[in-house]
Amino acid sequence: MRGGLPNARVADDLGVSRETVRKWRSRFAANRLESLADRPRSGPPRRITDEPVEALVVRTLGQAPPTGDSHWSTRSTAEAEGMSQSAVSRM
């Protein structure tokens, strides 16, 4: 490795595996910054886009639950956002 921190240190600092750091560095060496952009993922496309996720985060961080509870639960969040409880849990 030339310059920078060892893969093990970077992995520990970022909470990822050494193999992930090795992959990032290999991609960067081959194609510079362009290679570090997100790539299309396998599987079906997302059904919940960024806008509903952002609305959920804004609501839960900026408003108290309408039930008078001290915090939002997945059930109260799902009801308020018109989503399923499992969708809220995944977010």
Side-chain angles (χ1 to χ4, degrees), residues 21-36:
V21 175
R22 188 204 58 76
K23 186 187 315 180
W24 290 340
R25 285 188 165 165
S26 175
R27 286 180 184 168
F28 182 79
N31 296 307
R32 311 311 287 171
L33 286 177
E34 202 175 289
S35 65
L36 298 179

Side-chain angles (χ1 to χ4, degrees), residues 35-59:
S35 65
L36 298 179
D38 277 345
R39 295 180 178 171
R41 310 267 182 204
S42 62
R46 291 174 50 196
R47 287 185 274 164
I48 301 174
T49 60
D50 290 341
E51 291 80 19
V53 173
E54 182 179 352
L56 180 140
V57 171
V58 167
R59 179 188 293 258

Side-chain angles (χ1 to χ4, degrees), residues 25 60 70 90:
R25 285 188 165 165
T60 57
S70 62
R90 283 192 301 271

Side-chain angles (χ1 to χ4, degrees), residues 1-6 25:
M1 184 187 79
R2 298 163 76 193
L5 299 172
R25 285 188 165 165

